[in-house]
Amino acid sequence: MLALRLARGAHPLVQLRRLLVAAASAGTGFMLLCTLAYAMEHPGAGAVLRLAWCLAPITATVYFAVAVARTDPGTRPRGGLSAVGLGPGRLAVLAAISTAVSCVLGSMVALLFFLHLRGDISGLPFDGAATDLLAGGEPLPLAGALTLLALVPAAASAASALVLRPRPVKATGAVDGPAPAADPAAPARPPGGLPWGVALLAAGLAVETYASGSDGRARGGFPMPGGADGSPVGVLAGWALTALGLVLAGPGLTYLSGRILQAVRPGAARLLAGRVLQEEARRIGRPLGVLCAVASGAYASLILYAGPSPRVGPLTTLGGLLVAGCAVLTLATAAVEAKQSRSHTTGALLQLGAPATLLRGSAALRAGALAAVFGPLTWIVAELAALPLAR
């Protein structure tokens, strides 16, 4: 009940983020139900492969739900809450419950829409419009449908509880409140993962090149969604390694962007922008890497489905929109979280007489530096990753 009260009394922007999580959960749940309908009429390995292609939207939805849970002000530790039984552990549980409520709402909407298109629920527009595609003549296994719909809420709530779990404080005399904002006048410690990310990126491109050079397309083909011809398993595995490398290298590249901004006698704006990027490297670097991986994958998909008559089904389009939308929204949510974390520093600078144009110029410099580093990298990786699929 407390989680529901916190959700009801939240700010409209917080409610909007929760509704976006519910919308992403609804789209993913609808894809899972469509996979179940396909399995009802075509039992076999094809149904399992369709379910495997749903892992990408599921992962993107869970990642976005966790990012929203991290920025939820209703579950943020504040001083004095432990005295009424709302310590960090309890707040993590409330965040998991709020995430589960949003995802369950989306799953229920997906189930109603699916039943409506099948013709099981009448009296609304588009009643039974997809009866043939969704196995309208077959009885729906309720247990299987509910199991599939429970995947996203269970995974999202568990991931939220894991990310927001209380961690032991090294210093003594810690208070039950948020950690103080980092001072942009001392550089943060460089994040790890950049060497591993570069190594995985190179390994993924090498695997793709090797797999595309063989004649194993017909023997080792893995069916792509949307009716496209199979691609070698090695090509898909190489692209997965490439995407993982971009995600791991994201924080290090963000930190490097901050170092570049501060090179060669920086002024106040460049110094502030660079130090802020270094402080926020771990928070926004990984979502940036995810967005770069999604962008490179989208470019590869355009190469794959290019032709006079591209065979892209509606579920393939829905899955692509879900993954891309969740990646963009996750990055935007991480940016909001970063802005909230440095609100004390921003207020202190304004009190000291710093002009607002300095803060706006610093934000523009940060965006330009990130675009200058991640933009060319994404284009190069996309071109190299699309070469095997273009053959």
Side-chain angles (χ1 to χ4, degrees), residues 170-206:
K170 296 181 180 179
T172 58
V175 296
D176 180 25
D183 186 2
R189 184 168 54 88
L194 182 58
W196 287 103
V198 173
L200 286 177
L201 185 63
L205 293 175

mmCIF file of all heavy atoms in Angstrom, residues 170-206:
data_model
loop_
_atom_site.group_PDB
_atom_site.id
_atom_site.type_symbol
_atom_site.label_atom_id
_atom_site.label_comp_id
_atom_site.label_asym_id
_atom_site.label_seq_id
_atom_site.Cartn_x
_atom_site.Cartn_y
_atom_site.Cartn_z
ATOM 1 N N LYS A 170 31.966 2.422 3.897
ATOM 2 C CA LYS A 170 33.307 2.244 4.428
ATOM 3 C C LYS A 170 33.589 3.201 5.576
ATOM 4 O O LYS A 170 34.188 2.843 6.575
ATOM 5 C CB LYS A 170 34.346 2.448 3.316
ATOM 6 C CG LYS A 170 34.249 1.413 2.214
ATOM 7 C CD LYS A 170 35.319 1.650 1.162
ATOM 8 C CE LYS A 170 35.206 0.607 0.045
ATOM 9 N NZ LYS A 170 36.230 0.835 -1.013
ATOM 10 N N ALA A 171 33.171 4.452 5.442
ATOM 11 C CA ALA A 171 33.462 5.438 6.480
ATOM 12 C C ALA A 171 32.515 5.258 7.655
ATOM 13 O O ALA A 171 31.380 4.814 7.504
ATOM 14 C CB ALA A 171 33.357 6.856 5.918
ATOM 15 N N THR A 172 32.986 5.602 8.861
ATOM 16 C CA THR A 172 32.171 5.508 10.060
ATOM 17 C C THR A 172 31.339 6.760 10.208
ATOM 18 O O THR A 172 31.650 7.828 9.682
ATOM 19 C CB THR A 172 33.070 5.332 11.294
ATOM 20 O OG1 THR A 172 33.958 6.451 11.358
ATOM 21 C CG2 THR A 172 33.869 4.045 11.190
ATOM 22 N N GLY A 173 30.269 6.614 10.972
ATOM 23 C CA GLY A 173 29.416 7.775 11.225
ATOM 24 C C GLY A 173 28.600 8.186 10.028
ATOM 25 O O GLY A 173 28.278 9.362 9.879
ATOM 26 N N ALA A 174 28.254 7.242 9.150
ATOM 27 C CA ALA A 174 27.464 7.588 7.974
ATOM 28 C C ALA A 174 26.032 7.878 8.374
ATOM 29 O O ALA A 174 25.494 7.293 9.305
ATOM 30 C CB ALA A 174 27.512 6.448 6.965
ATOM 31 N N VAL A 175 25.387 8.740 7.665
ATOM 32 C CA VAL A 175 24.006 9.098 7.943
ATOM 33 C C VAL A 175 23.100 8.415 6.953
ATOM 34 O O VAL A 175 23.521 7.970 5.895
ATOM 35 C CB VAL A 175 23.814 10.635 7.872
ATOM 36 C CG1 VAL A 175 24.626 11.299 8.954
ATOM 37 C CG2 VAL A 175 24.193 11.163 6.506
ATOM 38 N N ASP A 176 21.821 8.334 7.324
ATOM 39 C CA ASP A 176 20.827 7.702 6.468
ATOM 40 C C ASP A 176 20.315 8.730 5.473
ATOM 41 O O ASP A 176 19.220 9.249 5.581
ATOM 42 C CB ASP A 176 19.688 7.154 7.322
ATOM 43 C CG ASP A 176 18.643 6.480 6.453
ATOM 44 O OD1 ASP A 176 18.991 6.028 5.351
ATOM 45 O OD2 ASP A 176 17.488 6.445 6.879
ATOM 46 N N GLY A 177 21.099 9.034 4.494
ATOM 47 C CA GLY A 177 20.711 10.020 3.497
ATOM 48 C C GLY A 177 21.522 9.852 2.253
ATOM 49 O O GLY A 177 22.411 9.002 2.179
ATOM 50 N N PRO A 178 21.247 10.614 1.218
ATOM 51 C CA PRO A 178 21.987 10.490 -0.026
ATOM 52 C C PRO A 178 23.420 10.940 0.137
ATOM 53 O O PRO A 178 23.743 11.801 0.971
ATOM 54 C CB PRO A 178 21.217 11.410 -0.985
ATOM 55 C CG PRO A 178 20.531 12.385 -0.096
ATOM 56 C CD PRO A 178 20.222 11.672 1.175
ATOM 57 N N ALA A 179 24.299 10.354 -0.669
ATOM 58 C CA ALA A 179 25.694 10.733 -0.622
ATOM 59 C C ALA A 179 25.862 12.154 -1.126
ATOM 60 O O ALA A 179 25.130 12.614 -2.006
ATOM 61 C CB ALA A 179 26.536 9.783 -1.473
ATOM 62 N N PRO A 180 26.802 12.904 -0.558
ATOM 63 C CA PRO A 180 26.994 14.278 -1.020
ATOM 64 C C PRO A 180 27.438 14.318 -2.454
ATOM 65 O O PRO A 180 28.099 13.410 -2.948
ATOM 66 C CB PRO A 180 28.092 14.811 -0.072
ATOM 67 C CG PRO A 180 28.789 13.583 0.440
ATOM 68 C CD PRO A 180 27.753 12.518 0.503
ATOM 69 N N ALA A 181 27.070 15.383 -3.122
ATOM 70 C CA ALA A 181 27.409 15.522 -4.536
ATOM 71 C C ALA A 181 28.910 15.658 -4.701
ATOM 72 O O ALA A 181 29.598 16.254 -3.880
ATOM 73 C CB ALA A 181 26.700 16.748 -5.124
ATOM 74 N N ALA A 182 29.417 15.083 -5.773
ATOM 75 C CA ALA A 182 30.843 15.139 -6.022
ATOM 76 C C ALA A 182 31.252 16.557 -6.400
ATOM 77 O O ALA A 182 30.515 17.286 -7.060
ATOM 78 C CB ALA A 182 31.227 14.175 -7.128
ATOM 79 N N ASP A 183 32.428 16.937 -5.947
ATOM 80 C CA ASP A 183 32.952 18.263 -6.238
ATOM 81 C C ASP A 183 33.644 18.236 -7.593
ATOM 82 O O ASP A 183 34.611 17.501 -7.786
ATOM 83 C CB ASP A 183 33.953 18.656 -5.150
ATOM 84 C CG ASP A 183 34.431 20.101 -5.318
ATOM 85 O OD1 ASP A 183 33.939 20.764 -6.246
ATOM 86 O OD2 ASP A 183 35.281 20.538 -4.523
ATOM 87 N N PRO A 184 33.168 19.014 -8.591
ATOM 88 C CA PRO A 184 33.780 18.986 -9.907
ATOM 89 C C PRO A 184 35.195 19.543 -9.930
ATOM 90 O O PRO A 184 35.846 19.533 -10.954
ATOM 91 C CB PRO A 184 32.832 19.828 -10.763
ATOM 92 C CG PRO A 184 32.143 20.730 -9.809
ATOM 93 C CD PRO A 184 32.027 19.972 -8.536
ATOM 94 N N ALA A 185 35.701 20.157 -8.798
ATOM 95 C CA ALA A 185 37.054 20.677 -8.765
ATOM 96 C C ALA A 185 38.076 19.520 -8.487
ATOM 97 O O ALA A 185 39.291 19.831 -8.467
ATOM 98 C CB ALA A 185 37.168 21.759 -7.704
ATOM 99 N N ALA A 186 37.779 18.248 -8.303
ATOM 100 C CA ALA A 186 38.769 17.157 -8.211
ATOM 101 C C ALA A 186 38.351 16.077 -9.143
ATOM 102 O O ALA A 186 37.211 15.618 -9.144
ATOM 103 C CB ALA A 186 38.845 16.641 -6.822
ATOM 104 N N PRO A 187 39.349 15.653 -10.018
ATOM 105 C CA PRO A 187 38.852 14.689 -11.026
ATOM 106 C C PRO A 187 38.536 13.330 -10.414
ATOM 107 O O PRO A 187 39.196 12.886 -9.485
ATOM 108 C CB PRO A 187 39.994 14.560 -12.042
ATOM 109 C CG PRO A 187 41.121 15.346 -11.547
ATOM 110 C CD PRO A 187 40.742 16.025 -10.285
ATOM 111 N N ALA A 188 37.537 12.690 -10.949
ATOM 112 C CA ALA A 188 37.143 11.356 -10.502
ATOM 113 C C ALA A 188 38.141 10.322 -10.985
ATOM 114 O O ALA A 188 38.905 10.534 -11.920
ATOM 115 C CB ALA A 188 35.738 11.023 -11.012
ATOM 116 N N ARG A 189 38.107 9.168 -10.320
ATOM 117 C CA ARG A 189 38.975 8.071 -10.717
ATOM 118 C C ARG A 189 38.495 7.496 -12.042
ATOM 119 O O ARG A 189 37.297 7.304 -12.244
ATOM 120 C CB ARG A 189 38.968 7.004 -9.627
ATOM 121 C CG ARG A 189 39.906 5.833 -9.866
ATOM 122 C CD ARG A 189 40.023 5.014 -8.599
ATOM 123 N NE ARG A 189 38.704 4.621 -8.126
ATOM 124 C CZ ARG A 189 38.073 3.514 -8.509
ATOM 125 N NH1 ARG A 189 38.649 2.706 -9.395
ATOM 126 N NH2 ARG A 189 36.896 3.204 -8.016
ATOM 127 N N PRO A 190 39.406 7.188 -12.970
ATOM 128 C CA PRO A 190 38.969 6.662 -14.277
ATOM 129 C C PRO A 190 38.228 5.337 -14.118
ATOM 130 O O PRO A 190 38.646 4.468 -13.352
ATOM 131 C CB PRO A 190 40.288 6.480 -15.045
ATOM 132 C CG PRO A 190 41.269 7.345 -14.354
ATOM 133 C CD PRO A 190 40.867 7.380 -12.909
ATOM 134 N N PRO A 191 37.108 5.164 -14.811
ATOM 135 C CA PRO A 191 36.384 3.893 -14.731
ATOM 136 C C PRO A 191 37.121 2.794 -15.474
ATOM 137 O O PRO A 191 37.827 3.027 -16.464
ATOM 138 C CB PRO A 191 35.037 4.206 -15.389
ATOM 139 C CG PRO A 191 35.343 5.323 -16.331
ATOM 140 C CD PRO A 191 36.443 6.123 -15.701
ATOM 141 N N GLY A 192 36.961 1.591 -14.984
ATOM 142 C CA GLY A 192 37.556 0.454 -15.675
ATOM 143 C C GLY A 192 36.662 -0.046 -16.797
ATOM 144 O O GLY A 192 35.535 0.405 -16.984
ATOM 145 N N GLY A 193 37.157 -0.993 -17.544
ATOM 146 C CA GLY A 193 36.369 -1.607 -18.605
ATOM 147 C C GLY A 193 36.742 -1.192 -20.003
ATOM 148 O O GLY A 193 36.345 -1.869 -20.960
ATOM 149 N N LEU A 194 37.497 -0.084 -20.156
ATOM 150 C CA LEU A 194 37.837 0.355 -21.505
ATOM 151 C C LEU A 194 38.730 -0.653 -22.232
ATOM 152 O O LEU A 194 38.463 -0.968 -23.407
ATOM 153 C CB LEU A 194 38.501 1.732 -21.458
ATOM 154 C CG LEU A 194 38.874 2.350 -22.804
ATOM 155 C CD1 LEU A 194 37.657 2.485 -23.692
ATOM 156 C CD2 LEU A 194 39.532 3.718 -22.605
ATOM 157 N N PRO A 195 39.784 -1.210 -21.615
ATOM 158 C CA PRO A 195 40.583 -2.215 -22.339
ATOM 159 C C PRO A 195 39.774 -3.447 -22.716
ATOM 160 O O PRO A 195 39.904 -3.969 -23.832
ATOM 161 C CB PRO A 195 41.708 -2.549 -21.351
ATOM 162 C CG PRO A 195 41.785 -1.369 -20.444
ATOM 163 C CD PRO A 195 40.393 -0.872 -20.314
ATOM 164 N N TRP A 196 38.930 -3.910 -21.787
ATOM 165 C CA TRP A 196 38.095 -5.074 -22.107
ATOM 166 C C TRP A 196 37.099 -4.749 -23.211
ATOM 167 O O TRP A 196 36.812 -5.585 -24.086
ATOM 168 C CB TRP A 196 37.358 -5.550 -20.869
ATOM 169 C CG TRP A 196 38.226 -6.252 -19.878
ATOM 170 C CD1 TRP A 196 38.718 -5.753 -18.712
ATOM 171 C CD2 TRP A 196 38.719 -7.592 -19.983
ATOM 172 N NE1 TRP A 196 39.489 -6.700 -18.072
ATOM 173 C CE2 TRP A 196 39.504 -7.836 -18.826
ATOM 174 C CE3 TRP A 196 38.579 -8.606 -20.924
ATOM 175 C CZ2 TRP A 196 40.147 -9.053 -18.598
ATOM 176 C CZ3 TRP A 196 39.214 -9.817 -20.701
ATOM 177 C CH2 TRP A 196 39.980 -10.037 -19.557
ATOM 178 N N GLY A 197 36.551 -3.551 -23.176
ATOM 179 C CA GLY A 197 35.609 -3.164 -24.223
ATOM 180 C C GLY A 197 36.258 -3.107 -25.589
ATOM 181 O O GLY A 197 35.682 -3.587 -26.587
ATOM 182 N N VAL A 198 37.441 -2.540 -25.661
ATOM 183 C CA VAL A 198 38.149 -2.477 -26.939
ATOM 184 C C VAL A 198 38.503 -3.886 -27.421
ATOM 185 O O VAL A 198 38.389 -4.199 -28.617
ATOM 186 C CB VAL A 198 39.410 -1.601 -26.799
ATOM 187 C CG1 VAL A 198 40.245 -1.652 -28.069
ATOM 188 C CG2 VAL A 198 39.014 -0.162 -26.485
ATOM 189 N N ALA A 199 38.919 -4.748 -26.493
ATOM 190 C CA ALA A 199 39.267 -6.117 -26.872
ATOM 191 C C ALA A 199 38.049 -6.873 -27.404
ATOM 192 O O ALA A 199 38.124 -7.572 -28.429
ATOM 193 C CB ALA A 199 39.869 -6.853 -25.676
ATOM 194 N N LEU A 200 36.901 -6.737 -26.725
ATOM 195 C CA LEU A 200 35.693 -7.403 -27.205
ATOM 196 C C LEU A 200 35.223 -6.823 -28.529
ATOM 197 O O LEU A 200 34.714 -7.556 -29.393
ATOM 198 C CB LEU A 200 34.586 -7.276 -26.157
ATOM 199 C CG LEU A 200 34.721 -8.148 -24.906
ATOM 200 C CD1 LEU A 200 33.597 -7.851 -23.925
ATOM 201 C CD2 LEU A 200 34.702 -9.628 -25.276
ATOM 202 N N LEU A 201 35.376 -5.514 -28.691
ATOM 203 C CA LEU A 201 34.991 -4.880 -29.955
ATOM 204 C C LEU A 201 35.826 -5.431 -31.110
ATOM 205 O O LEU A 201 35.283 -5.792 -32.172
ATOM 206 C CB LEU A 201 35.169 -3.380 -29.836
ATOM 207 C CG LEU A 201 34.721 -2.511 -31.006
ATOM 208 C CD1 LEU A 201 33.231 -2.646 -31.224
ATOM 209 C CD2 LEU A 201 35.077 -1.055 -30.739
ATOM 210 N N ALA A 202 37.136 -5.524 -30.907
ATOM 211 C CA ALA A 202 38.002 -6.064 -31.959
ATOM 212 C C ALA A 202 37.718 -7.536 -32.205
ATOM 213 O O ALA A 202 37.697 -7.999 -33.351
ATOM 214 C CB ALA A 202 39.463 -5.856 -31.574
ATOM 215 N N ALA A 203 37.483 -8.290 -31.122
ATOM 216 C CA ALA A 203 37.189 -9.715 -31.282
ATOM 217 C C ALA A 203 35.877 -9.932 -32.031
ATOM 218 O O ALA A 203 35.778 -10.824 -32.887
ATOM 219 C CB ALA A 203 37.140 -10.388 -29.916
ATOM 220 N N GLY A 204 34.872 -9.120 -31.726
ATOM 221 C CA GLY A 204 33.600 -9.263 -32.416
ATOM 222 C C GLY A 204 33.706 -8.978 -33.899
ATOM 223 O O GLY A 204 33.154 -9.716 -34.732
ATOM 224 N N LEU A 205 34.426 -7.919 -34.254
ATOM 225 C CA LEU A 205 34.613 -7.610 -35.676
ATOM 226 C C LEU A 205 35.413 -8.701 -36.378
ATOM 227 O O LEU A 205 35.134 -9.048 -37.536
ATOM 228 C CB LEU A 205 35.312 -6.257 -35.818
ATOM 229 C CG LEU A 205 34.508 -5.040 -35.362
ATOM 230 C CD1 LEU A 205 35.350 -3.786 -35.450
ATOM 231 C CD2 LEU A 205 33.235 -4.894 -36.190
ATOM 232 N N ALA A 206 36.410 -9.278 -35.678
ATOM 233 C CA ALA A 206 37.189 -10.358 -36.275
ATOM 234 C C ALA A 206 36.337 -11.600 -36.490
ATOM 235 O O ALA A 206 36.434 -12.272 -37.528
ATOM 236 C CB ALA A 206 38.386 -10.684 -35.379
#
